[in-house]
């Protein structure tokens, strides 16, 4: 039976049943996932007395439970991403815990791993931390949130994921992201023009040009900034961002602010999280407050210092029309409904908030002198994405056995492969020692008439010769003709006699290898290389024709002829028998009554002689013609006979 693979279960919302439609799937999971959760719990050294679902992601396939165990309350989490992507975040969670970050520590399972892979997903268990959200009514709560974010970013520096994890990075995607926003804002203009009869269309057309200009200006400023030099420093230099940080994922707990829900972390410039937190807070407040913005940046700077270049890129990112794009991109999914219902109110609120945005950013830009300049002169501009390890990552070594993901094969197959791998290592070592013996065995095979293989040493010489290719300077037409001639020479030729010695066989192999070498070296860029389409480098010569092989072929031919003769005799016998039966049927007289009944006619006199005629096909092949029924059965209701009056009917049948 195949393993159940966990997938998003929001499709259950489309059920037709009343009970299924009334069910709140945001607080429920399918019964199959409940069964898997029980199996995952058994993989840990703990006894669970109760399990309570805290939240679920039916559109993605994730969930969190609080479990009461004999070792205190704990959290069981189903990570909705692929195992390779989840391994990236699980590895970071273990890394930052050892760096001293306030992040829930992973509890190992019975096999020593910090996760359990089941149902095609990763499951993790951590201690349940009692947390309380930071206050949102004053700047103090926002500063606590920003300071905790800076601590988290500082601890992520130098992270290198375990082997097999799928890397997630947004560090090099800033220019593409900006261009995407600018392009889609232009699409909003086209959408509003296409649906000009909707309520919000005139309002969008009146402001979309200004927001598109802001996006283009931000792209130009980013190109002129130090972003390219900063990105060239590499991913581990900057660390990772949370990507979904806010008042719900950063909460106060024992010792300070704790960061939770790390399954979406990614490499990026760390202050991208800070920008999202500031702009979303200003959007919620309905005004861009310089005091709040300055206080939040200073709190972050205390935990993870910024330089002048980082502060400049942070301002550019805040100048981008992020909130306008985030709120109005819903029109691409259902333009008529959105533009007629929600778009107008959302647009009015965004435009009203942005009236104070540019004055606040201009005032905030004066604080750039407070930050020291960064040193990016030694970094190469526009480097390809590379993971440059730092001092922190060099001291952190992964134990790969504890981080290997399951393969697609079953567990018992993997155990067999592990056992066979150890035996293969022993066989390889023994093969190296017995290499001279292999040459002698090959010579015996050649002398006995078996197919010959190229010796190991000659293969090695052949590979080294193919690497030392030289470019011929002759004309392309002459090269093509030479290639055709040499291809014809490489075709296998049968041996004329069976008394060919092993030395002659080896000499033929060497000459063939030399011809291949000359063919390879003479090929140039404008000549098609035919070697991949030829036979394998191991040359196989035809078998030598010995007396024993000749006798075998003769015996096989004789047996085949005997089988053919037997089959033909049986066929002749069957044909003669069928002809004899046909003659008997023709000679036997038939009664006139039987003949008349067969033909569907009236009976004639028995004394009337049978008319001699040629036998029909039916009599020759031994089958009788049967007259068709007089009462036809039809499915056409118009042609069916009506029931007589007074007769009973049963389910419409007479």
């Amino acid at each position: 039976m195949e393993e159940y693979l966990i997938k998003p279960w929001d499709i259950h919302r489309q059920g037709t049943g009343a009970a299924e439609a009334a069910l709140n799937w945001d607080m429920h999971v399918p019964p199959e996932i409940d069964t898997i959760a029980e199996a995952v719990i058994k993989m840990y050294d703990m006894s669970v007395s109760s399990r309570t679902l805290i939240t679920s992601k039916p559109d993605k396939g994730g969930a969190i439970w609080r479990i009461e165990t004999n070792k205190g309350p704990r959290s069981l989490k189903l990570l909705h991403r692929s195992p390779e992507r989840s391994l990236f975040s699980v590895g970071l969670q273990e890394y930052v815990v050892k760096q001293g970050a306030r992040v829930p520590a992973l509890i190992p399972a019975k096999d020593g791993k910090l996760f359990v892979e089941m149902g095609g997903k990763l499951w993790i268990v951590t201690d349940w931390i009692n947390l309380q959200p930071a206050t949102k009514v004053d700047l103090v709560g926002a500063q606590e949130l920003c300071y905790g974010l800076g601590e988290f970013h500082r601890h992520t520096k130098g992270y290198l994921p375990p082997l097999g994890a799928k890397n997630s990075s947004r560090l090099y995607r800033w220019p593409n992201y900006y261009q995407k926003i600018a392009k889609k804002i232009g699409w909003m203009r086209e959408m509003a023009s296409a649906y000009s009869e909707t309520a919000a269309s005139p309002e969008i057309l009146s402001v979309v040009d200004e927001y598109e200009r802001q996006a283009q200006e931000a792209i130009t400023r980013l190109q002129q900034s130090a972003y390219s030099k900063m990105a060239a420093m590499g991913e581990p230099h900057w660390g990772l961002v949370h990507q979904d940080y806010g008042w719900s994922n950063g909460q106060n707990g024992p010792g300070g602010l704790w960061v939770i829900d790390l399954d979406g972390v990614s490499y990026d410039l760390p202050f991208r999280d800070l920008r999202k937190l500031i702009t979303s807070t200003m959007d919620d407040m309905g005004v861009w407050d310089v005091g709040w913005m300055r206080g939040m940046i200073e709190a972050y700077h205390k935990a993870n210092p910024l330089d002048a270049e980082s502060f400049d890129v942070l301002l550019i990112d805040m100048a981008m029309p992020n909130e306008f794009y985030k709120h109005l991109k819903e029109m691409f999914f259902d333009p008529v409904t959105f533009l007629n219902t929600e778009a107008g109110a959302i647009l009015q609120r965004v435009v009203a908030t942005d009236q104070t945005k540019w004055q606040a950013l201009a005032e905030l830009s004066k604080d750039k002198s407070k930050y020291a300049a960064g040193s990016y002169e030694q970094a190469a501009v526009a480097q390809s994405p590379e993971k440059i390890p730092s001092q922190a990552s060099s001291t952190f070594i992964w134990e790969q056995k504890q981080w290997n993901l399951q393969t697609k094969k079953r567990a018992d197959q993997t155990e067999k492969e592990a056992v066979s791998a150890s035996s293969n290592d022993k066989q390889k070592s023994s093969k190296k020692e017995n290499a001279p013996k292999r040459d002698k065995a090959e010579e015996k095979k050649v002398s006995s008439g078996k197919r010959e293989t190229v010796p190991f040493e000659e293969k090695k010489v052949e590979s080294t010769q193919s690497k030392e290719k030289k470019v011929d300077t002759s004309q392309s037409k002459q090269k093509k003709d030479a290639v055709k001639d040499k291809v014809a020479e490489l075709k296998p030729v049968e041996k004329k006699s069976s008394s060919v010695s092993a030395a002659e066989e080896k000499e033929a192999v060497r000459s063939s290898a030399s011809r291949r070498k000359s063919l390879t070296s003479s090929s140039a860029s404008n000549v098609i290389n035919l070697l991949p389409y030829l036979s394998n480098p191991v040359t196989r010569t035809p078998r030598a024709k010995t007396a024993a092989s000749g006798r075998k072929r003769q015996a096989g031919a004789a047996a085949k002829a005997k089988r053919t003769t037997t089959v033909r005799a049986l066929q002749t016998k069957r044909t003669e028998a069928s002809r004899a039966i046909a003659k008997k049927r023709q000679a036997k007289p038939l009664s006139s009554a039987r003949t008349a009944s067969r033909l569907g006619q009236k009976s004639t006199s028995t004394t009337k002689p049978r008319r001699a005629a040629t036998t029909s096909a039916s009599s020759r092949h031994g089958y009788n013609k049967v007259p068709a029924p007089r009462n036809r059965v039809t499915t056409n209701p118009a042609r069916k006979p009506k029931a007589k009056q007074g007769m009973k009917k049963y389910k419409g049948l007479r």
Side-chain angles (χ1 to χ4, degrees), residues 283-331:
D283 183 62
D284 293 339
M285 294 174 60
V287 61
W288 287 69
D289 191 311
V290 180
W292 274 64
M293 296 166 64
R294 183 177 286 123
M296 294 172 73
I297 295 174
E298 290 177 354
Y300 179 89
H301 176 68
K302 291 180 181 178
N304 189 32
L306 297 171
D307 52 32
E309 290 79 3
S310 298
F311 184 79
D312 184 44
V313 176
L314 175 63
L315 292 178
I316 295 173
D317 203 29
M318 285 193 287
M320 193 72 182
N322 299 288
E323 303 305 315
F324 174 81
Y325 168 72
K326 181 178 72 173
H327 292 302
L328 292 177
K329 67 180 180 181
E330 298 295 328
M331 72 171 62

Side-chain angles (χ1 to χ4, degrees), residues 159-393:
Y159 170 69
L160 290 176
L163 185 64
K166 183 179 180 180
N167 189 66
S168 176
S169 177
R170 297 178 178 271
L171 177 62
Y172 308 96
R173 295 168 56 181
W174 283 52
N176 293 337
Y177 175 74
Y178 278 23
Q179 292 172 3
K180 182 188 76 171
I181 292 181
K183 182 187 295 184
K184 289 193 174 182
I185 290 176
W187 292 356
M188 292 178 183
R189 179 192 302 104
E190 303 298 330
M191 190 76 70
S193 300
Y195 297 93
S196 57
E197 70 280 359
T198 57
S201 176
E203 298 179 10
I204 292 175
L205 292 174
S206 64
V207 299
V208 68
D209 293 341
E210 174 62 21
Y211 282 106
E212 188 178 19
R213 185 195 63 79
Q214 295 176 12
Q216 294 294 342
E217 184 179 352
I219 292 173
T220 304
R221 291 178 59 189
L222 184 68
Q223 294 173 350
Q224 298 173 354
S225 68
Y227 163 76
S228 58
K229 295 181 179 180
M230 297 166 68
M233 298 299 292
E235 295 167 343
H237 173 81
W238 295 103
L240 292 92
V241 295
H242 189 282
Q243 289 203 100
D244 191 25
Y245 189 77
W247 267 266
S248 60
N249 293 329
Q251 299 186 21
N252 288 319
L257 190 128
W258 288 66
V259 181
I260 59 176
D261 293 343
L262 307 181
D263 48 315
V265 292
S266 176
Y267 285 116
D268 203 345
L269 296 178
F271 45 84
R272 170 60 69 85
D273 276 341
L274 179 62
R275 192 276 301 165
K276 291 182 179 179
L277 186 61
I278 293 175
T279 54
S280 62
T281 303
M282 300 298 104
D283 183 62
D284 293 339
M285 294 174 60
V287 61
W288 287 69
D289 191 311
V290 180
W292 274 64
M293 296 166 64
R294 183 177 286 123
M296 294 172 73
I297 295 174
E298 290 177 354
Y300 179 89
H301 176 68
K302 291 180 181 178
N304 189 32
L306 297 171
D307 52 32
E309 290 79 3
S310 298
F311 184 79
D312 184 44
V313 176
L314 175 63
L315 292 178
I316 295 173
D317 203 29
M318 285 193 287
M320 193 72 182
N322 299 288
E323 303 305 315
F324 174 81
Y325 168 72
K326 181 178 72 173
H327 292 302
L328 292 177
K329 67 180 180 181
E330 298 295 328
M331 72 171 62
F332 298 124
F333 302 98
D334 189 0
V336 176
T337 304
F338 180 75
L339 292 175
N340 280 326
T341 56
E342 305 176 23
I346 292 175
L347 183 62
Q348 290 178 4
R349 183 173 58 83
V350 171
V351 172
T353 303
D354 287 348
Q355 290 179 357
T356 57
K357 175 179 178 178
W358 299 105
Q359 183 179 357
L361 290 178
E363 184 69 21
L364 190 63
S365 62
K366 299 177 182 178
D367 296 345
K368 184 177 179 179
S369 59
K370 298 180 180 179
Y371 303 96
S375 57
Y376 304 106
E377 298 299 331
Q378 297 179 358
V381 179
Q383 256 188 352
S384 59
E386 294 181 357
K387 295 181 181 179
I388 306 173
S390 63
Q391 295 180 356
S393 62

